[in-house]
Amino acid sequence: MATILLCGVDTFFRAKLAALLPGHHLVTSDSADWPDMVIADIARVDPEEVADTYADVPILGYTNHTDTAGLRAAHAAGFDQVVAKSALVERARELVEELAPSG
């Protein structure tokens, strides 16, 4: 399973993602493990900074569906996938399987 770095993800949503993605290793920026992919809360991070820091890692960004500026900024920064938070909840496993390297 993948090591997934959570950038800007609040504690409540982190618990929800842990339940949606059993078997994956969810880490925060203080982890020594280099991630296989990144999930970032676009509303709580700088998309350009995340994309620059993890340029060689697939990045999945999410935000509220009404945050069109955030969605555009993440696309412009080069995120591999950008979705509304509700879509992430509905399709978390599928999205991770599409982006994370197998292993």
Side-chain angles (χ1 to χ4, degrees):
M1 292 292 168
T3 296
I4 303 171
L5 174 66
L6 303 179
C7 288
V9 177
D10 67 56
T11 304
F12 174 75
F13 199 62
R14 177 189 168 115
K16 185 171 218 131
L17 286 173
L20 292 168
L21 300 168
H24 291 285
H25 182 55
L26 304 181
V27 298
T28 56
S29 60
D30 59 352
S31 172
D33 297 330
W34 188 253
D36 297 312
M37 74 171 291
V38 174
I39 296 177
D41 183 342
I42 297 164
R44 299 178 66 165
V45 298
D46 176 351
E48 289 285 339
E49 184 178 316
V50 172
D52 289 347
T53 303
Y54 301 99
D56 297 328
V57 178
I59 303 172
L60 169 61
Y62 73 89
T63 190
N64 186 300
H65 70 281
T66 60
D67 182 10
T68 55
L71 294 167
R72 281 193 304 272
H75 277 293
F79 281 27
D80 297 278
Q81 182 79 277
V82 180
V83 298
K85 187 174 185 178
S86 58
L88 178 57
V89 170
E90 292 171 8
R91 302 178 42 227
R93 186 174 299 215
E94 175 187 339
L95 291 165
V96 167
E97 287 174 2
E98 288 174 10
L99 292 174
S102 41

